[in-house]
Amino acid sequence: MKLSDNEIQALKGVSGQVAAERLRLEGANELPSQKKKNIFAIMFDILREPMLLLLIGSGLIYLCLGEPKDAMMLMSFVIVVVGITFYQEHKTEKALDALRDLSSPRALVIRDGEQKRIPGREVVREDIIVLREGDRVPADAVVISCENLSVDESLLTGESVSVRKSEGDEKEVSSRPGGDDLPFVYSGTMVVSGRGLAKVTLTGARTEIGKIGKALQGITEEETLLKKETGRLVRNFSLIGLVLCVLVVLIYGLTRGNWIQGVLSGLTLGMAMLPEEFPVVLMIFLTLGAWRMSKSQVLTRRAYAVETLGAATVLCTDKTGTLTLNKMQLAVLCSKGKFYDVGAKRSEPLAEEAHDLVEYGILASQSDPFDPIEKAIKKVGDLHLRGTEHIHQHWKLVKEYALSRQLIAMSHVWESPDRENLIIAAKGAPEAVTDLCHLDDAKRQELTRAIEAMAARGLRLLGVARAVFKKGELPQGQHDFIFEFVGLLGFIDPVRETVPRAIKEAHTAGMRVVMITGDYPATASHIAKEIGLINPDQIITGMELEKMSLEELRERIKTVNVFARVVPEQKLAIVNAFKANGEIVAMTGDGVNDAPALKSANIGIAMGERGTDVARESSALVLLNDDFSSIVNAVRLGRRIFDNLKKAVAYIFSVHVPIAGMSFLPVLFNMPIVLMPAHIAFLELIIDPACSTVFESVTEENGIMDRPPRKLKEPLFNRNTFIVSLLQGVSVLLVVFAVYFYALFTKIGEDECRTLTFTTLVFSNMMLIITNLSWSKNIVEILKVKNMALWWVLSGTAVALVAVLCVPFLRSLFHFTPLSLSRAGIALAGGVLSLLWFEGLKWVWKRLSLRNQ
């Protein structure tokens, strides 16, 4: 239908008074804000965290012991944790804020018989909105009049090609987004061609985009595995430390009668057992891990996602804009039964036989197109036909015949100054153009074979036809022209060049890659084959999924990796079904339709360049360069970070065994006290940087991407790690205690015993650091790998040890005496001997692994 200004002015629309009343009763055309927590509720949640309570407790202990600097350091960690929590609370609001901004553009409406430009939030039900090329639809509405109206609904459906709109009855019930020739438009979508009038049916949270906003509000983010596991470790260490602390106080007080010294000994043991390193290590590892990922073009929005990504077992990815470029390209021409590959980057000349097809495809499009398909046709024309007789800059457009529900084709009538007759160019669905051309059965069968061949390549097809007509009064319909079929245009949304290799690497790393798209099954299957997905011919469509129970879906998704014609709610259902099967799910996406699934997944990965604000704010990671291969690099980094964190935790446990043992055993056996608060503080100055910076800097182990992901329920500190760490700690304790017993046996002074024992403990600690940097490489191989943090810690420890042994003032604070070279040699030998067995065990493991290969 041709829209005129008179027709537009004839519509009255709602009155300003009615609009104001509906705005008051039904609310603004925007998403409601999520109820925010007040400051007291947030503080209450923060103070319930056992990790934070331990930090505060440790700080108070240091303060009571007269160590204000250490106390202030721990209290600074408290401030950091509180700040991060408040910041994260603010972050959770941003997804809805971005969605509100997107859903409230400026709108052109008819009120009181006049066109008015108003804020989108002021649009009300039954408003008449004017839709023009380039406008964003402000609310869900039914089209009451239109001409050649096409709308890009990829925001809601993921479909890269715009859909045609037709006129409808305002009483019709709205359907889901997607599909051609429907009379409904949706809030947040973009008009790419034509114009129309629509009557608003739904506003605000009741719109399709509003339903997505509700879905975002309803999703609760789960506590990550890493946080749960470290929380358990902290709790267990704390309980053991508390029990031993009370035991030391009782034993000392009852056996020696000095309760004050007993309390001090108990506090010393408590300091030795309190796992203050865990929160520090976790914070540093994840912060530096996020920094390392940023160098690989991956922005970390949630720190715990760094570890979770390395454990992911399923990667769910949207097709449009993620696996593909979301740029329609004219790829194949079919003229007179022959196929020609074309493209914007091809430099080969286009065959003469295909020139007419491109020429009439351009003539059937807008001169300055906005539609992506028409742009693609024009691009090929500019590349291959510029400066030829096939480009007609001076022709005059006489009439447009718009496509309709009855005939999915459009025609342009052109007048040429050089020709007596008018030239008509038509394009549209192949079956519609075939109908216009009145082809006989033989030609229809030939054309059908060509269509099937092109469709099998995942191409979207348009037919092109031409006709001539004498100048004069033009007919009412396109069927009155005598059309000649020119050929077929095949379009494709190209796959990103890096995707197939990235998919292969993901499979090697034990990750399933699943494509979830709103596109058609044939296109999805073709793309799946092109990128190398497993079982590309097994597809579940949205209609099939809608009829499935959760149990059926959970069973089917064990083998199916392609989902087509899927709507946003179903994407969320798929992700949740994978999670119900015990999978750790990573989800990539770039549109509003992906936001609920991004937020529900264990880790959401948004596209930074093409992604919407909603997708980015709902995600845990953002690919800054939209390169799918960056995900694989992020997985590798995630695995490395988790491996190193595991090593650091193992080291923390093993080093605390001899420290706690040497605080407890002298009390138990009524021997002179070895360790005092100053000694524990000294050891912490070694342990803290070692378990954080040194272990964080360790390069990845060989074959890190050739092994399957970590099991969902596998703890950070599993049985094998516990046994090895315990054996390491006990072996160090036995050697250090043996040196201590030897010193007492030789009847040297108490301070001399303490000096020799403490030096042995420091050397053993240094050995623990080195040997735990890799459980597959020996010490020589470890020291050959560049790790500046290791050398800084080792050299700093050596300098500090020399200082407390040689500087009289420091020596008195630590209750030490000068240490002879011979006794220093004993301490060094003890440190090396304490872990020599573990180096032998590494050699055995290596021999066995080589034999099994």
Side-chain angles (χ1 to χ4, degrees):
M1 173 181 175
K2 181 72 174 178
L3 297 172
S4 66
D5 291 337
N6 291 333
E7 288 173 316
I8 293 176
Q9 292 298 334
L11 293 168
K12 295 293 183 183
V14 299
S15 66
Q17 184 177 356
V18 171
E21 182 66 14
R22 286 183 180 167
L23 197 63
R24 184 182 69 83
L25 294 175
E26 300 177 5
N29 180 35
E30 60 185 5
L31 297 182
S33 299
Q34 191 176 21
K35 186 177 180 180
K36 299 180 180 180
K37 292 181 181 179
N38 59 45
I39 188 171
F40 299 106
I42 296 174
M43 284 299 299
F44 179 73
D45 288 341
I46 295 173
L47 291 175
R48 289 190 305 173
E49 287 288 334
M51 193 177 293
L52 186 64
L53 290 173
L54 284 167
L55 280 172
I56 295 173
S58 299
L60 292 175
I61 290 173
Y62 274 121
L63 195 61
C64 292
L65 292 170
E67 299 287 347
K69 292 183 179 179
D70 294 307
M72 290 301 295
M73 178 184 69
L74 290 178
M75 288 305 175
S76 68
F77 290 138
V78 173
I79 296 171
V80 170
V81 172
V82 172
I84 289 174
T85 305
F86 276 107
Y87 179 70
Q88 194 61 38
E89 189 71 23
H90 174 66
K91 282 278 191 179
T92 58
E93 300 295 324
K94 281 194 172 182
L96 290 173
D97 290 340
L99 199 55
R100 280 193 291 270
D101 293 341
L102 189 60
S103 63
S104 187
R106 301 284 294 177
L108 184 62
V109 301
I110 299 175
R111 286 187 181 170
D112 297 315
E114 296 181 0
Q115 292 189 45
K116 295 181 179 180
R117 182 73 67 175
I118 63 172
R121 67 183 308 277
E122 296 180 9
V123 172
V124 298
R125 183 171 48 82
E126 295 191 343
D127 254 332
I128 303 296
I129 53 177
V130 180
L131 302 174
R132 293 175 177 169
E133 190 173 288
D135 286 348
R136 193 174 290 279
V137 180
D140 286 9
V142 58
V143 178
I144 57 177
S145 180
C146 68
E147 178 186 10
N148 195 28
L149 183 62
S150 295
V151 179
D152 178 3
E153 295 182 351
S154 62
L155 193 71
L156 297 170
T157 66
E159 179 66 58
S160 58
V161 178
S162 59
V163 293
R164 298 182 302 272
K165 296 298 175 182
S166 62
E167 299 169 15
D169 190 328
E170 59 188 76
K171 296 180 181 179
E172 291 188 54
V173 179
S174 178
S175 63
R176 292 184 182 277
D180 289 318
D181 302 317
L182 296 175
F184 308 107
V185 290
Y186 303 93
S187 177
T189 59
M190 180 74 73
V191 179
V192 296
S193 66
R195 54 180 180 163
L197 296 176
K199 178 174 277 192
V200 174
T201 56
L202 297 169
T203 61
R206 294 172 288 275
T207 62
E208 287 295 321
I209 201 172
K211 293 175 184 176
I212 296 176
K214 287 183 179 179
L216 280 175
Q217 284 182 311
I219 297 171
T220 303
E221 292 184 37
E222 301 175 359
E223 194 176 47
T224 65
L225 295 171
L226 184 58
K227 192 172 182 179
K228 291 176 183 177
E229 291 169 18
T230 50
R232 284 196 298 268
L233 287 173
V234 167
R235 183 182 66 246
N236 294 339
F237 263 62
S238 301
L239 290 175
I240 295 171
L242 180 63
V243 171
L244 291 178
C245 180
V246 173
L247 193 59
V248 163
V249 173
L250 291 175
I251 292 173
Y252 201 104
L254 292 173
T255 59
R256 308 189 188 190
N258 189 338
W259 289 96
I260 296 177
Q261 188 61 43
V263 171
L264 291 174
S265 297
L267 287 176
T268 301
L269 180 59
M271 290 177 59
M273 290 297 298
L274 276 174
E276 64 176 87
E277 296 92 358
F278 282 126
V280 178
V281 167
L282 189 59
M283 186 182 302
I284 290 176
F285 264 66
L286 297 180
T287 302
L288 291 180
W291 171 73
R292 292 186 189 280
M293 283 193 175
S294 69
K295 294 173 71 176
S296 297
Q297 298 299 307
V298 179
L299 174 65
T300 305
R301 296 188 63 257
R302 294 179 176 85
Y304 286 106
V306 174
E307 176 271 334
T308 310
L309 182 62
T313 58
V314 174
L315 174 57
C316 296
T317 173
D318 186 35
K319 177 185 73 70
T320 306
T322 307
L323 299 174
T324 65
L325 294 171
N326 197 19
K327 290 182 179 180
M328 295 305 294
Q329 291 183 5
L330 180 53
V332 178
L333 306 177
C334 178
S335 179
K336 298 178 181 179
K338 294 183 179 181
F339 297 97
Y340 306 93
D341 288 335
V342 295
K345 295 182 179 180
R346 292 180 67 90
S347 57
E348 297 87 349
L350 181 63
E352 184 66 34
E353 293 82 358
H355 286 191
D356 286 351
L357 178 55
V358 177
E359 174 187 358
Y360 282 90
I362 294 172
L363 289 173
S365 305
Q366 299 294 327
S367 300
D368 186 16
F370 188 81
D371 182 85
I373 283 183
E374 293 188 347
K375 283 184 174 181
I377 299 172
K378 187 174 186 298
K379 183 178 290 186
V380 172
D382 289 342
L383 180 65
H384 295 288
L385 302 182
R386 179 175 292 179
T388 70
E389 72 277 10
H390 296 284
I391 300 297
H392 310 285
Q393 300 285 355
H394 305 294
W395 285 17
K396 178 183 177 183
L397 180 63
V398 178
K399 183 178 176 64
E400 295 182 44
Y401 289 89
L403 51 79
S404 64
R405 188 180 299 184
Q406 293 74 30
L407 182 64
I408 310 173
M410 59 182 295
S411 297
H412 285 177
V413 181
W414 296 90
E415 181 179 4
S416 168
D418 305 326
R419 303 190 184 186
E420 295 181 0
N421 296 325
L422 298 174
I423 305 299
I424 301 93
K427 78 175 191 308
E431 60 272 18
V433 176
T434 302
D435 184 45
L436 283 176
C437 295
H438 306 291
L439 299 179
D440 58 33
D441 290 341
K443 290 185 178 180
R444 281 179 181 272
Q445 290 178 6
E446 181 183 347
L447 182 60
T448 299
R449 287 193 293 270
I451 290 173
E452 290 175 351
M454 296 177 74
R457 297 174 60 177
L459 299 172
R460 296 190 174 279
L461 304 181
L462 283 181
V464 177
R466 63 186 171 191
V468 294
F469 195 81
K470 291 183 179 180
K471 291 182 180 180
E473 186 176 351
L474 291 169
Q476 292 295 317
Q478 300 178 69
H479 271 292
D480 295 320
F481 297 110
I482 302 174
F483 278 105
E484 172 193 357
F485 189 80
V486 180
L488 296 169
L489 303 174
F491 301 86
I492 193 168
D493 185 5
V495 169
R496 293 178 181 272
E497 293 181 0
T498 56
V499 167
R501 179 178 56 82
I503 296 287
K504 185 177 180 180
E505 288 186 73
H507 288 161
T508 303
M511 294 176 62
R512 275 183 67 189
V513 181
V514 176
M515 182 170 69
I516 305 174
T517 178
D519 217 331
Y520 292 95
T523 305
S525 178
H526 177 81
I527 295 295
K529 292 175 183 176
E530 190 174 348
I531 64 177
L533 285 190
I534 299 172
N535 300 329
D537 294 322
Q538 294 186 30
I539 300 173
I540 295 177
T541 64
M543 291 183 64
E544 293 173 321
L545 197 150
E546 199 170 47
K547 299 173 184 177
M548 289 183 188
S549 64
L550 177 60
E551 290 72 23
E552 289 175 317
L553 179 58
R554 288 180 60 182
E555 187 62 32
R556 288 288 304 278
I557 61 177
K558 291 178 181 179
T559 57
V560 176
N561 296 317
V562 181
F563 293 82
R565 300 303 288 169
V566 170
V567 296
E569 296 85 352
Q570 292 172 331
K571 290 187 177 186
L572 182 59
I574 293 168
V575 169
N576 289 338
F578 274 120
K579 291 171 67 178
N581 280 352
E583 306 284 2
I584 299 179
V585 183
M587 168 75 188
T588 70
D590 60 356
V592 174
N593 60 305
D594 298 317
L598 286 172
K599 192 172 182 182
S600 179
N602 296 94
I603 176 165
I605 309 169
M607 298 298 154
E609 291 182 353
R610 299 184 180 278
T612 60
D613 289 340
V614 182
R616 286 191 290 270
E617 296 300 334
S618 301
S619 65
L621 297 178
V622 178
L623 300 185
L624 299 177
N625 59 356
D626 283 11
D627 190 344
F628 189 84
S629 63
S630 296
I631 299 174
V632 178
N633 293 331
V635 170
R636 180 181 289 105
L637 278 170
R639 292 188 177 190
R640 167 188 163 178
I641 291 164
F642 180 77
D643 278 1
N644 291 345
L645 183 59
K646 197 171 183 177
K647 294 172 186 176
V649 171
Y651 161 73
I652 292 171
F653 178 76
S654 60
V655 77
H656 274 276
V657 171
I659 295 174
M662 291 308 298
S663 300
F664 179 71
L665 291 178
V667 175
L668 182 64
F669 294 120
N670 200 20
M671 295 176 170
I673 299 299
V674 177
L675 299 179
M676 299 178 179
H679 305 132
I680 303 297
F682 182 94
L683 291 170
E684 288 297 334
L685 289 176
I686 304 171
I687 296 170
D688 285 347
C691 63
S692 54
T693 57
V694 175
F695 282 93
E696 195 282 330
S697 302
V698 178
T699 56
E700 65 193 50
E701 297 281 358
N702 295 331
I704 196 171
M705 292 297 285
D706 295 331
R707 66 192 189 205
R710 179 172 66 100
K711 297 295 183 182
L712 184 67
K713 295 184 179 180
E714 179 188 339
L716 174 70
F717 195 61
N718 58 29
R719 182 181 298 175
N720 292 337
T721 306
F722 171 77
I723 292 173
V724 173
S725 298
L726 181 63
L727 288 175
Q728 287 182 346
V730 170
S731 66
V732 171
L733 175 59
L734 290 175
V735 170
V736 172
F737 191 77
V739 171
Y740 172 61
F741 190 78
Y742 161 77
L744 289 177
F745 181 76
T746 57
K747 297 182 180 180
I748 60 177
E750 183 176 321
D751 286 352
E752 291 176 282
C753 288
R754 181 178 297 110
T755 305
L756 178 59
T757 305
F758 182 79
T759 305
T760 306
L761 184 57
V762 171
F763 283 139
S764 298
N765 188 7
M766 295 168 72
M767 276 294 298
L768 270 175
I769 294 171
I770 298 171
T771 194
N772 277 297
L773 290 178
S774 175
W775 284 15
S776 61
K777 300 174 183 176
N778 59 45
I779 288 182
V780 176
E781 292 172 329
I782 291 172
L783 294 177
K784 285 181 179 179
V785 178
K786 183 179 180 181
N787 189 336
M788 291 303 298
L790 171 64
W791 292 108
W792 276 110
V793 169
L794 294 181
S795 57
T797 301
V799 169
L801 182 61
V802 170
V804 297
L805 291 175
C806 298
V807 177
F809 172 74
L810 295 176
R811 195 165 57 219
S812 64
L813 285 178
F814 281 81
H815 299 278
F816 286 164
T817 61
L819 189 68
S820 65
L821 288 177
S822 60
R823 286 177 179 164
I826 293 173
L828 180 60
V832 174
L833 181 64
S834 65
L835 288 168
L836 198 60
W837 67 270
F838 187 61
E839 288 299 305
L841 187 60
K842 287 183 188 180
W843 182 84
V844 173
W845 281 343
K846 192 171 185 178
R847 298 290 294 181
L848 289 175
S849 62
L850 289 174
R851 184 178 299 175
N852 294 330
Q853 287 180 357

